[in-house]
Amino acid sequence: MGFEPDYNKQCLEKLIWAMQKLEIDCDETELPKIAELIVQTMTGPWRYFHTPNHIFEVGGEEDPIEVLAALFHDVVYVQVDQSVNFNLTYYIAPFIRQVGEHLLIRDAEDLPPDEGFEMVRQIFDFAPSQTLSPVSGQNEFLSGLVATKVLEPLLPLEFLVQVVACIEATIPFRPKTELGSNSDVLYQRLKDVCKTFSLKLTDEDLIETVKRSVRLSNRDVGSFAHESAARFLDNTWNLLPETNHYLKNSSSYTINQYRTALQKMEGFMNFIKPEIIFHQFQGYPDELSYNAFVERARKNIEVGRLYLASKLFTIAFLEALSLRFGRVIPVSTLMGEMPTEGFSAVSLVDFLPPNFNSHRPKTELEQKVLTLLEEGRTQSSSYDIKNSPLATYMVKCLGFDEIIHQRNRAQEFFQDKITHEEFLAGCDDHVKKAVTDGIVQLFDSRKAALCQSL
C-alpha cells in the first residue's frame, strides 16, 4: 500500500496559517469543517489534475489571501465533476437555478438581498438572469461564491473582496479587449466595488490585490512554462481523464474513445496562444520574467502539437485497422494490456520488426518530441503508459513530415470523408504489413496461451 497523504490535515494547516497571518480570531471548530468541505470536493472520482496538491501549489506559501483563494478556486468544476458537489449547493442554491443542463443566476426579483453575493457578482461583472458558461467563468464565479459564503462568518468584506478577485483572475485564456488586459479590467471593477460597499481599501491596496491575483493565476497555469516539456505533458495527460471519464478504466476504453480524447486536446493545443496564458499588471511581473513565461509556453505548446499529431496518426492507423473486424474495439485488444505490478502483458510492439528506414530528426523540436515518445513523459498515468513505443516506431519508419501529412489525412477519415480502407491505402505499405503482422502474432500468442493446457 502506498502512502496516502492526509489532505485534510494539510488543508487545515493552510487555513490556520492564513487566519493567523490575517490576525483573525476564529472558532477552532469551524476550520476543520471548512478543510473537510474543500478536500472532499477536490478528491472527487474524476479529479486527476485539479486535486488538493494543485490548490496547495497554486496558493504558494507567502500570502494568506493567495492561500485562501487557491484553496477555493477550483471547488466548483462542473465539466469535471459532472455536477456541483452536493455539499456546496447549500451555498449556491439561493442564487443559482438550473434549467436543463445550464446554470443561471436567478432573476433579480428572486434573488435574496445579500451583500456577499452582490460583491461576487460585481467583481465578475455578471448579471441577474444570466446563463453561466463553462468556458466563460462559470466555475470560477461559483467557486468565488462558495468561498464568500463559507468565509464570511470569519472575514470582513475587505478580505473577501481580495480573495474573490484572485479567484476571478484564474478564468483562463482571455485576450485583451479595448478596456485593456484582464488585470486592468479587474482593477477597475475593484474600484467600483469599493465605492459600492464603502470598503476601507486604498488604491494601493487594490493595486496590490491585482498583483496578488497575477501571481496566483500565473501559478495556476504555470505548467505551460515548465522548463521540462515532459512535465508539461504530464499535466496534459492528467487533464485528459477529467473530461473523458471513460479513460478511468484502462482495460476497456476503446480506440475511438482514446482518439477522441487526443483530438480534443490537440484542438485545444492548436487554439491556445502563449500570449493569452499569463497575466501582467503595472510592470508585474517584469518584462524579462513575463517574456520568459511566454517563450517557454510557446516551446512547450509546439512540442505538444507535434507530440499529439504523432499519437493521433498512430491511433488513427490502429482505428482504421480495427474497423476491419469490429466497431467497438478496446485499445488493449490491439496494443496489449497495460503492464501492472506483478503482471507483464505481451504487447504489440514485442512483435514489430526492426525499423526498415530509420528517419533521424531534422530539428531540435523533432528531436525533443522523438525523445518524449521513446523515453516517455516523467510519469505513467493510471490509464496510459508514459512512453509511446508504437508512435516511436511510426516516426522512425516514416519521419515527422510524413507523420504530419498522414495526420492531416486522418482528419478526413475522422470526418467520414474517406473510408478506413481509403485511409489505409494511402499509408506506407511496409508499416501496414509490419503492424498488421504484429497484431496477428499478438493474437496468435493469446491463442497459444489460451490453448496451452488442451
Side-chain angles (χ1 to χ4, degrees):
M1 289 288 289
F3 172 72
E4 287 290 324
D6 189 342
Y7 290 132
N8 274 46
K9 181 171 178 284
Q10 291 179 57
C11 188
L12 179 58
E13 287 170 354
K14 295 274 186 186
L15 287 166
I16 292 171
W17 177 86
M19 294 301 167
Q20 288 174 345
K21 284 285 183 182
L22 294 173
E23 299 180 354
I24 299 293
D25 290 324
C26 54
D27 184 346
E28 287 185 6
T29 63
E30 287 304 307
L31 295 184
K33 294 177 189 173
I34 296 172
E36 184 181 6
L37 180 77
I38 294 168
V39 171
Q40 190 172 20
T41 306
M42 300 301 295
T43 51
W46 310 116
R47 298 285 185 132
Y48 284 79
F49 177 81
H50 296 97
T51 61
N53 286 331
H54 173 67
I55 58 175
F56 299 155
E57 186 178 309
V58 168
E61 298 179 346
E62 297 178 6
D63 187 284
I65 295 293
E66 292 172 38
V67 166
L68 289 174
L71 292 179
F72 283 94
H73 84 286
D74 277 333
V75 288
V76 176
Y77 210 134
V78 176
Q79 303 96 299
V80 173
D81 298 327
Q82 294 189 310
S83 65
V84 175
N85 182 287
F86 180 78
N87 292 331
L88 303 183
T89 57
Y90 172 80
Y91 305 101
I92 291 172
F95 314 100
I96 306 295
R97 65 192 182 101
Q98 184 168 343
V99 178
E101 294 184 359
H102 300 287
L103 298 177
L104 288 76
I105 297 176
R106 292 186 183 276
D107 298 336
E109 61 270 21
D110 296 329
L111 284 169
D114 189 284
E115 188 177 60
F117 171 75
E118 271 302 302
M119 176 271 289
V120 177
R121 187 186 67 74
Q122 290 185 33
I123 286 179
F124 279 79
D125 194 29
F126 285 1
S129 309
Q130 179 173 332
T131 301
L132 302 179
S133 165
V135 295
S136 300
Q138 167 184 274
N139 298 320
E140 293 81 2
F141 173 72
L142 296 178
S143 296
L145 178 56
V146 169
T148 298
K149 302 313 292 178
V150 170
L151 294 174
E152 67 183 0
L154 308 176
L155 299 181
L157 199 59
E158 282 81 0
F159 285 154
L160 293 174
V161 163
Q162 295 175 66
V163 169
V164 172
C166 287
I167 294 174
E168 195 279 345
T170 64
I171 301 174
F173 316 132
R174 291 176 287 176
K176 283 186 177 180
T177 68
E178 65 277 1
L179 298 174
S181 70
N182 307 312
S183 299
D184 295 329
V185 172
L186 179 59
Y187 173 54
Q188 290 302 321
R189 287 185 195 156
L190 287 175
K191 289 206 282 191
D192 293 341
V193 165
C194 275
K195 287 178 186 171
T196 301
F197 296 97
S198 304
L199 299 180
K200 300 185 185 74
L201 291 172
T202 65
D203 194 53
E204 289 73 22
D205 291 333
L206 298 186
I207 290 170
E208 185 52 43
T209 296
V210 179
K211 288 182 178 178
R212 273 195 198 97
S213 79
V214 167
R215 271 196 300 273
L216 182 109
S217 58
N218 285 350
R219 280 197 298 268
D220 193 29
V221 291
S223 64
F224 278 94
H226 205 286
E227 297 281 0
S228 162
R231 288 291 299 276
F232 165 64
L233 286 173
D234 280 338
N235 287 322
T236 302
W237 247 244
N238 283 334
L239 285 167
L240 282 173
E242 287 199 333
T243 49
N244 301 280
H245 292 169
Y246 42 76
L247 294 179
K248 188 170 185 182
N249 191 336
S250 62
S251 62
S252 65
Y253 62 80
T254 67
I255 292 172
N256 177 272
Q257 287 173 330
Y258 185 64
R259 183 261 287 178
T260 302
L262 292 185
Q263 253 187 300
K264 286 194 279 188
M265 183 54 71
E266 187 197 48
F268 169 72
M269 287 281 185
N270 288 332
F271 148 79
I272 193 67
K273 293 179 174 58
E275 295 80 12
I276 65 170
I277 296 173
F278 296 100
H279 294 220
Q280 189 181 32
F281 179 69
Q282 293 192 1
Y284 182 83
D286 61 70
E287 285 297 314
L288 199 63
S289 302
Y290 177 77
N291 290 336
F293 288 155
V294 173
E295 210 41 50
R296 284 201 298 270
R298 189 186 315 282
K299 289 179 178 176
N300 281 335
I301 291 166
E302 284 177 356
V303 167
R305 286 171 179 167
L306 187 54
Y307 181 86
L308 282 161
S310 305
K311 299 269 287 184
L312 259 170
F313 162 63
T314 303
I315 201 69
F317 185 85
L318 284 181
E319 186 174 4
L321 284 177
S322 74
L323 286 169
R324 288 178 168 177
F325 60 92
R327 298 199 68 82
V328 186
I329 307 298
V331 170
S332 56
T333 300
L334 296 194
M335 291 290 293
E337 286 188 41
M338 274 185 65
T340 55
E341 193 174 339
F343 180 74
S344 182
V346 179
S347 170
L348 166 60
V349 292
D350 296 332
F351 300 105
L352 294 179
N355 288 297
F356 62 85
N357 181 19
S358 193
H359 282 260
R360 300 184 67 81
K362 295 183 295 188
T363 64
E364 184 183 343
L365 173 63
E366 289 187 356
Q367 180 59 65
K368 192 174 284 188
V369 172
L370 179 58
T371 300
L372 284 165
L373 290 169
E374 191 164 20
E375 297 179 8
R377 306 178 300 275
T378 59
Q379 55 188 251
S380 291
S381 304
S382 60
Y383 66 96
D384 201 6
I385 58 175
K386 66 180 182 178
N387 62 328
S388 307
L390 183 57
T392 301
Y393 185 81
M394 295 289 204
V395 168
K396 287 185 174 179
C397 286
L398 302 173
F400 279 107
D401 288 346
E402 179 65 10
I403 291 286
I404 294 296
H405 170 65
Q406 293 294 348
R407 162 64 191 96
N408 293 333
R409 286 188 67 244
Q411 192 63 25
E412 297 185 302
F413 164 47
F414 299 153
Q415 294 171 345
D416 293 325
K417 292 179 180 175
I418 59 174
T419 67
H420 62 283
E421 290 298 343
E422 287 171 323
F423 174 62
L424 288 170
C427 295
D428 183 273
D429 289 335
H430 292 286
V431 167
K432 263 189 297 195
K433 179 168 173 33
V435 176
T436 305
D437 288 350
I439 292 171
V440 170
Q441 290 178 68
L442 175 64
F443 288 175
D444 285 344
S445 75
R446 289 168 172 162
K447 178 182 174 184
L450 188 65
C451 298
Q452 62 183 342
S453 61
L454 298 178

